[in-house]
Amino acid sequence: DTGVSQDPRHKITKRGQNVTFRCDPISEHNRLYWYRQTLGQGPEFLTYFQNEAQLEKSRLLSDRFSAERPKGSFSTLEIQRTEQGDSAMYLCASSPPARRSYNEQFFGPGTRLTVL
Amino acid sequence: KNQVEQSPQSLIILEGKNCTLQCNYTVSPFSNLRWYKQDTGRGPVSLTIMTFSENTKSNRRYTATLDADTKQSSLHITASQLSDSASYICVVSAANYGGATNKLIFGTGTLLAVQP
């Protein structure tokens, strides 16, 4: 399968714990996005990488959230001191260089986070 | 404010019937509009992408229309199947000439249930 992959698919944690999610984009996609989706809502943009550079961050990305893409390939999203309000589906998407597409984004299956 | 509104919020139809989902947007400047299908617990999958100059685009049993003057789009599903049960999300891309990426504005989706 050459699509976007995310790991883990499900994560249950206790309030106050740290969690880290991983996203592997489609190879040769230089752009990578993180979104958060709560039940009954559309995805909300969190952050965007072009290669290894984090170019945009949403105001939703509080100080407890950090994302990295150290080598311009896979990315990690870490949430420190989790809160119950962090419970959501965390989606990763990737897209090829802008000249090839309308910024079409290919989504991964998501990581479902439940904070108890 | 850039917004995407979808109707109805949810819809139940019998297998084999047709249905039409609506999307109204107030995104400017407009770049393109896409429809995504999201199965429960999965990431969104792109169905169509339409640019300003395209009025109709078909993908198998899905036909999307776009009226850029009235800022409306529809997604028509023909001869529905049980596997069509999913959330259908309308996403509008705002041209972001000064930024790193076009912004995607997501609707909240229409939840479609196809019953036998």
Side-chain angles (χ1 to χ4, degrees):
Chain A
D1 189 345
T2 58
V4 178
S5 61
Q6 293 186 244
D7 182 70
R9 293 292 310 279
H10 304 274
K11 178 69 177 179
I12 300 174
T13 190
K14 292 182 179 179
R15 189 176 52 186
Q17 297 296 306
N18 299 343
V19 295
T20 300
F21 310 142
R22 176 179 170 126
C23 170
D24 286 89
I26 295 172
S27 61
E28 298 181 356
H29 279 194
N30 66 333
R31 295 181 290 173
L32 187 146
Y33 309 81
W34 284 99
Y35 293 88
R36 181 175 68 186
Q37 186 177 25
T38 53
L39 198 61
Q41 300 297 315
E44 297 173 295
F45 170 78
L46 291 178
T47 190
Y48 158 72
F49 288 87
Q50 184 167 306
N51 299 312
E52 67 276 7
Q54 187 175 19
L55 296 184
E56 289 191 52
K57 291 172 60 174
S58 163
R59 286 172 293 179
L60 294 174
L61 214 65
S62 75
D63 292 343
R64 297 184 298 106
F65 287 70
S66 62
E68 295 181 345
R69 196 183 183 198
K71 297 181 179 179
S73 56
F74 74 91
S75 175
T76 58
L77 177 68
E78 180 183 16
I79 308 174
Q80 296 181 326
R81 305 181 302 280
T82 53
E83 302 173 356
Q84 288 184 326
D86 297 331
S87 296
M89 173 79 87
Y90 289 84
L91 293 165
C92 176
S94 71
S95 62
R99 64 183 179 275
R100 302 185 199 171
S101 74
Y102 297 113
N103 188 29
E104 179 168 8
Q105 296 183 19
F106 298 81
F107 285 84
T111 294
R112 168 74 64 189
L113 172 65
T114 302
V115 181
L116 302 177
Chain B
K1 182 180 178 181
N2 288 331
Q3 285 187 316
V4 176
E5 296 182 349
Q6 294 188 241
S7 62
Q9 190 172 17
S10 62
L11 182 62
I12 301 174
I13 62 173
L14 294 177
E15 186 179 11
K17 298 296 186 182
N18 304 336
C19 67
T20 300
L21 315 179
Q22 301 291 341
C23 174
N24 296 336
Y25 61 93
T26 57
V27 177
S28 181
F30 174 87
S31 177
N32 58 73
L33 180 147
R34 29 350 251 281
W35 284 92
Y36 281 89
K37 177 186 178 186
Q38 185 173 23
D39 292 316
T40 301
R42 306 299 298 269
V45 175
S46 179
L47 296 175
T48 66
I49 295 180
M50 302 182 73
T51 59
F52 185 87
S53 59
E54 295 175 302
N55 301 120
T56 304
K57 183 173 280 191
S58 293
N59 176 7
R60 295 175 296 187
R61 294 180 295 102
Y62 302 104
T63 299
T65 66
L66 174 64
D67 186 334
D69 291 331
T70 62
K71 299 186 176 180
Q72 295 179 326
S73 175
S74 67
L75 181 69
H76 186 76
I77 304 175
T78 304
S80 61
Q81 300 176 357
L82 298 178
S83 60
D84 292 333
S85 296
S87 180
Y88 291 84
I89 304 175
C90 176
V91 185
V92 180
S93 178
N96 186 18
Y97 301 115
T101 182
N102 287 2
K103 298 289 187 182
L104 293 188
I105 295 95
F106 290 79
T108 56
T110 291
L111 186 60
L112 174 66
V114 181
Q115 294 184 341

